[in-house]
Amino acid sequence: MRTVGCLIFDGVRAFDYAVIGEVWANRVSRPGVPAFDLRVCGPDGVRVRLGGGLERTPDHGLEGLLDCDLVVVPGVERPLAPTAPEVLAALRAVHARGIPIASLCAGAFVLADAGLLDGRAATTHWCVAQDLAARHPAVDVQPEVLFTGDGEIWTSAGVAAGIDLCLHLVRSAHGQQAAATIARAMVTAPFRAGGQAQFIPSPVPEEAGDDPLARVRTEVLAGLDTPWTVRRMAGLALMSERSFARRFVEAAGTSPLRWLLDQRVLAAQRLLEETDLPVDEVAARCGFASAVSLRPAFVRRVGLAPREYRRSFRGREAG
């Protein structure tokens, strides 16, 4: 996934356009990050009015999308406004060629208007999710997730969830180091739990300070092979189990044990990508009893068994 097309037209959100640029157009040398070719494409190459009063002249016409490896559609300021027919036709042509398409925020309305979300799960900003469901009843709208997709079509929730999806797409194609390097540069959260399981690694240590929950997370991450329980974590925070669990959910958006499982699988991904350790050893280092117990958790989160994931990643790396 080296050539990425950013589709712009009147009314796209300037923030989403900027996110796409930060992820795929940053020209500063970034270790482990491929040299991406970001194509900014729009109708007839005419000047486009972005949200917030900004303007941008596309570098390519809509035909520039047709040989990209990925096409990303920013969110739109007015999701219920009609989309230009030539934009919808271009998206249908991109999809017909088998090129993956991702939308950020209310860009899901554009994909739905093109007929690309019928029969698929999709998400968008929570405040317009009901509008999407009402306008396109054939779409399985899932407002509770941060992003969702099936490899062909991806959609994300509002604002920061677009960053989550972009980093997920980088990680899926180029591995953890590339996504982690970009996340550091963007000073974004290393991991956002809750909702749709995410593949963003946690490379940036938390600043624990006086926050007992942050101190617990830091200690847990430093010893994932420890047999952690809610009681043990609550003890570190000097809280009752009930208070700790409630405050953890409020802070992290997920339960302590779900967060722990996510972190263990993420650590397993790192070891599978970066080392030749046997899968049993990977499992032990990440807090699983064996490769057998690692497998179901890994498959649920990643979609592949650990050995298949390692082969897949090594294949991408070789390519």
Side-chain angles (χ1 to χ4, degrees):
M1 189 184 71
R2 301 299 180 92
T3 304
V4 178
C6 174
L7 172 58
I8 63 172
F9 46 90
D10 285 347
V12 302
R13 284 169 43 87
F15 178 86
D16 295 342
Y17 166 73
V19 165
I20 295 166
E22 282 293 319
V23 172
W24 282 293
N26 194 319
R27 302 303 180 190
V28 177
S29 176
R30 299 179 289 186
V33 179
F36 296 116
D37 174 20
L38 179 65
R39 296 182 183 177
V40 180
C41 305
D44 300 322
V46 298
R47 197 165 188 81
V48 167
R49 294 184 297 276
L50 307 177
L54 302 178
E55 295 186 347
R56 173 70 156 90
T57 301
D59 301 319
H60 304 268
L62 294 172
E63 69 281 354
L65 300 170
L66 296 177
D67 58 349
C68 291
D69 301 314
L70 169 72
V71 169
V72 187
V73 181
V76 292
E77 295 282 342
R78 298 171 55 215
L80 296 178
T83 304
E86 61 267 31
V87 171
L88 300 180
L91 286 171
R92 295 184 190 108
V94 167
H95 180 59
R97 291 195 174 207
I99 300 169
I101 302 173
S103 70
L104 310 188
C105 197
F109 282 79
V110 180
L111 300 192
D113 287 348
L116 303 184
L117 296 183
D118 288 355
R120 298 179 188 271
T123 193
T124 187
H125 195 291
W126 61 267
C127 72
V128 293
Q130 288 186 344
D131 294 328
L132 180 62
R135 181 165 172 163
H136 297 282
V139 179
D140 177 14
V141 179
Q142 300 183 356
E144 73 279 2
V145 302
L146 293 177
F147 64 82
T148 188
D150 58 9
E152 296 181 5
I153 303 289
W154 294 89
T155 56
S156 73
V159 195
I163 300 174
D164 297 333
L165 175 55
C166 290
L167 292 174
H168 165 70
L169 294 171
V170 171
R171 189 181 197 287
S172 296
H174 303 290
Q176 173 183 286
Q177 184 181 358
T181 299
I182 294 171
R184 284 196 188 97
M186 296 178 71
V187 198
T188 191
F191 177 74
R192 298 221 304 158
Q196 172 77 18
Q198 297 187 48
F199 292 4
I200 304 171
S202 48
V204 184
E206 294 192 61
E207 295 294 334
D210 294 326
D211 180 358
L213 298 182
R215 291 199 301 273
V216 170
R217 289 192 292 266
T218 298
E219 186 155 345
V220 170
L221 290 173
L224 287 173
D225 58 341
T226 300
W228 291 105
T229 62
V230 174
R231 173 177 291 183
R232 186 168 188 168
M233 288 188 274
L236 286 176
L238 302 178
M239 297 179 186
S240 69
E241 289 183 55
R242 178 174 294 184
S243 294
F244 174 77
R246 175 178 54 80
R247 289 189 56 185
F248 197 99
V249 170
E250 291 173 353
T254 191
S255 70
L257 293 182
R258 175 61 184 272
W259 175 85
L260 174 62
L261 182 61
D262 285 340
Q263 297 302 323
R264 282 173 164 162
V265 173
L266 286 167
Q269 286 180 265
R270 289 195 290 273
L271 291 176
L272 290 167
E273 292 178 7
E274 298 170 3
T275 75
D276 293 316
L277 290 171
V279 177
D280 275 316
E281 177 66 19
V282 169
R285 292 192 182 194
C286 298
F288 294 94
S290 66
V292 173
S293 60
L294 166 63
R295 192 180 193 279
F298 199 94
V299 170
R300 279 195 301 271
R301 193 180 200 285
V302 180
L304 293 172
R307 288 183 175 84
E308 294 169 346
Y309 178 82
R310 173 174 270 169
R311 286 195 295 268
S312 175
F313 177 78
R314 295 292 169 85
R316 291 198 305 267
E317 195 175 40

